Amino acid sequence: MKVVKEVFEVREFTRQNRKKTVGFVPTMGYLHQGHLALVEQAREENELVVLSIFVNPTQFGPNEDYEDYPRDLERDLELARSGGVDLVFIPEADKMYAANAATKVEVTGLTDKLCGASRAGHFSGVCTVVSKLFNIVSPTRAYFGQKDYQQVLVIKRMVEDLNFDLEIVTVPIIREEDGLAISSRNKYLNQAEREAALVLFNSLQRAKELIDGGERDVKVIEEELNKKVEVEPLAEIDYLAVVDANNLEKIDQITSRVLIALAVYIGETRLIDNLVVEV
Ligand code: AMP
């Protein structure tokens, strides 16, 4: 496994392997089973796997956890190696963004909703860095987790709109045994918060139960979700919504594929989770 920091080194690698298919997995590091599921699928579907580790400053708001975001490069490299990654790209922030950089990639519409509504500028930061990484790595396919459902939709939109020559592959959410979606940010949780964090998965399950039982009124389901989260004293809802899974638009009645999505603060830690239900 090669580990490189410079853009020209990645380009050299891809140039040398021009004839091979490349699966690309962009991450912010502190790798876990969720990331490794992306790597595994990338390995199955491509001849080479490139993983990037970059805590991207431009996708964090001023009061968010950029400085505190968990980092453990040594462990990450071990996991990447055991996952069969061929090249790890670990750029420095000041190399990714020149001091006079003046270009941003903005997807409109889709980014006004859910996480975009509560994290101003977040998706612009994501789209800008992902575009740069796509241009640096030139992958055949890029792998993203359904855990960040809105991110996948936004990036697919961007890829289509800007004619990036690659395929976006979505990988299902990997969970702990009790249902909690695995996330690097779970590290922030103390024991009481870790238990409280189950409220995300449990309320999604409750919403699914209602839908499976025939409930189609979105208001009823959202109210039930609200109630279910609010009984947890350590939880504070950021947003919670049942929306059209194709475009994140609001709906009154469930008629096809819906996304149940929520962002909840458990103590200081903001966690997200979602579930797609087909009727
Ligand atoms: P991050 O390092 O948190 O930016 O995540 C990098 C990629 O891993 C993103 O595409 C995430 O959606 C994906 N990912 C993170 N957690 C999970 C999970 N529990 N299951 C599946 N994919 C995940």
Side-chain angles (χ1 to χ4, degrees), residues 25-29 31-35 37-38 59 69 143-148 151-152 171-175 181-185:
V25 181
T27 80
M28 296 205 299
L31 301 183
H32 52 62
Q33 291 307 314
H35 299 118
L38 272 59
Q59 71 189 68
Y69 196 83
Y143 294 78
F144 292 88
Q146 195 204 306
K147 163 136 188 304
D148 299 272
Q151 172 171 279
V152 178
V171 179
I173 303 177
I174 306 298
R175 298 178 178 282
I182 301 182
S183 161
S184 306
R185 289 191 169 98

Side-chain angles (χ1 to χ4, degrees), residues 187-201:
K187 178 188 159 59
Y188 297 142
L189 306 172
N190 64 31
Q191 201 185 331
E193 290 169 341
R194 171 63 184 79
E195 281 164 31
L198 260 190
V199 77
L200 283 92
F201 178 68

Side-chain angles (χ1 to χ4, degrees), residues 60 63-65 68-70 119 147 180-200 229 232-239 262-273:
F60 287 79
N63 298 316
E64 294 185 357
D65 56 344
D68 298 332
Y69 196 83
R119 302 184 71 188
K147 163 136 188 304
L180 178 69
I182 301 182
S183 161
S184 306
R185 289 191 169 98
N186 292 350
K187 178 188 159 59
Y188 297 142
L189 306 172
N190 64 31
Q191 201 185 331
E193 290 169 341
R194 171 63 184 79
E195 281 164 31
L198 260 190
V199 77
L200 283 92
V229 179
E232 173 48 63
L234 294 177
E236 194 180 320
I237 297 168
D238 175 10
Y239 69 76
L262 75 179
V264 177
Y265 284 92
I266 302 292
E268 299 282 298
T269 306
R270 183 177 178 279
L271 299 178
I272 57 172
D273 201 349

